[in-house]
Amino acid sequence: RDDGLADFAFAMQGLGTGALSLFGTPEQQEWLSRTRAGKAISAFALSEPRSGSDVANTEMTATRDGDSFVLTGEKTWISNGGIADLYVVFARTGEAPGAKGLSAFLVPGDAKGLGIAERLEVIAPHPLARLSFERVRLPATALIGRPGDGFRIAMSVLDVFRSTVGAAALGFARRALDESIKRVAERKLFGAPMAELQMVQGHIADMALDVDAAALLVYRAAWTK
Ligand SMILES: Cc1cc2nc3c(=O)[nH]c(=O)nc-3n(C[C@H](O)[C@H](O)[C@H](O)COP(=O)(O)OP(=O)(O)OC[C@H]3O[C@@H](n4cnc5c(N)ncnc54)[C@H](O)[C@@H]3O)c2cc1C
């Protein structure tokens, strides 16, 4: 309701570390005290130029090389991209085709071969980037959960944050409705406040109805989760 950026900071620390909270080893979870204290920034890197909703189409590869995994490919629309201290990254390890061949990795922000290919500008103050991974070598301990579990891990994290993202949008909508009601009560038009015009009243009523319907959907999503 008050500030989209405040919501963003809160939501991203959760989204970026959700896989560690739910599936991480005790060593991987050591990051959590730093992110909780605001001493480390986290990011969630799933989307790619050719794979957004269709996560099973992820193209980034993670190839086993002795005790290491080597990550190669691109991620895009990554919130906190370029400023994060840790990334949870999803890549194809190839246990099976499609969704069953993905795995999740913990990648430190200063990993060699991880770079910003492009900073993406949006209207809101929101750090976003397209990231390139050029043979980023990680120890086997960077694997989160088991090989082939990446899709399940990504969906488990998104299942939590879908309802909080909806809740943030609801806060913005409630604020917009309240600002609108204040404005039409103050602004005079044709000798009377705008609020006395019947069509303006109709618009406000429609907005109130949409906000209430959205609230009930968000509550149901949270309750179901
Ligand atoms: C501000 C912002 C921040 C983001 N932050 C992150 C982040 O931190 N980490 C991250 O990994 N990603 C992030 N993303 C990416 C986001 O998750 C993707 O945009 C999203 O997954 C959709 O993918 P896409 O943009 O490639 O669209 P596409 O998947 O290509 O969708 C294109 C169109 O197809 C429609 N569509 C999709 N599936 C179906 C279907 N089954 N049936 C009918 N229509 C369908 C969509 O509604 C859309 O209109 C961010 C995006 C934005 C805008």
Side-chain angles (χ1 to χ4, degrees):
R1 186 191 160 90
D2 286 308
D3 191 327
L5 201 52
D7 163 70
F8 168 75
F10 174 78
M12 279 314 301
Q13 291 297 71
L15 185 65
T17 57
L20 302 181
S21 305
L22 295 172
F23 301 97
T25 60
E27 290 72 34
Q28 290 170 341
Q29 289 181 346
E30 279 171 14
W31 277 100
L32 298 178
S33 56
R34 295 186 58 210
T35 51
R36 268 199 299 268
K39 291 184 178 153
I41 293 178
S42 70
F44 177 85
L46 178 63
S47 303
E48 297 182 1
R50 279 179 296 276
S51 144
S53 315
D54 187 7
V55 174
N57 194 36
T58 296
E59 291 177 354
M60 174 179 276
T61 56
T63 314
R64 265 267 188 199
D65 182 19
D67 276 347
S68 315
F69 285 97
V70 179
L71 270 58
T72 303
E74 249 185 13
K75 294 287 173 187
T76 193
W77 292 109
I78 306 307
S79 302
N80 283 341
I83 63 167
D85 299 291
L86 73 142
Y87 295 84
V88 168
V89 180
F90 297 85
R92 183 161 299 284
T93 35
E95 290 70 24
K100 293 192 171 146
L102 306 180
S103 300
F105 296 92
L106 172 57
V107 181
D110 59 2
K112 197 161 164 261
L114 167 57
I116 305 173
E118 184 185 2
R119 284 191 193 278
L120 304 171
E121 293 297 328
V122 287
I123 295 166
H126 186 125
L128 269 179
R130 180 161 60 88
L131 301 171
S132 65
F133 291 71
E134 289 175 19
R135 295 191 56 77
V136 175
R137 186 173 287 275
L138 302 171
T141 52
L143 181 72
I144 304 168
R146 285 175 312 198
D149 272 357
F151 186 85
R152 190 171 70 89
I153 293 174
M155 294 305 134
S156 304
V157 174
L158 291 176
D159 274 357
V160 176
F161 288 93
R162 280 187 171 119
S163 40
T164 73
V165 168
L170 176 61
F172 304 152
R174 282 183 168 154
R175 167 83 177 272
L177 174 61
D178 289 351
E179 299 277 349
S180 303
I181 291 171
K182 208 167 111 211
R183 167 89 179 147
V184 297
E186 283 167 7
R187 172 85 159 94
K188 288 214 166 63
L189 215 57
F190 308 111
M194 275 179 87
E196 288 186 17
L197 297 170
Q198 199 171 22
M199 285 184 73
V200 172
Q201 293 171 2
H203 279 306
I204 297 284
D206 286 343
M207 287 167 73
L209 198 66
D210 284 345
V211 168
D212 212 27
L216 293 172
L217 278 172
V218 167
Y219 297 160
R220 188 173 71 183
W223 177 258
T224 307
K225 176 59 195 157

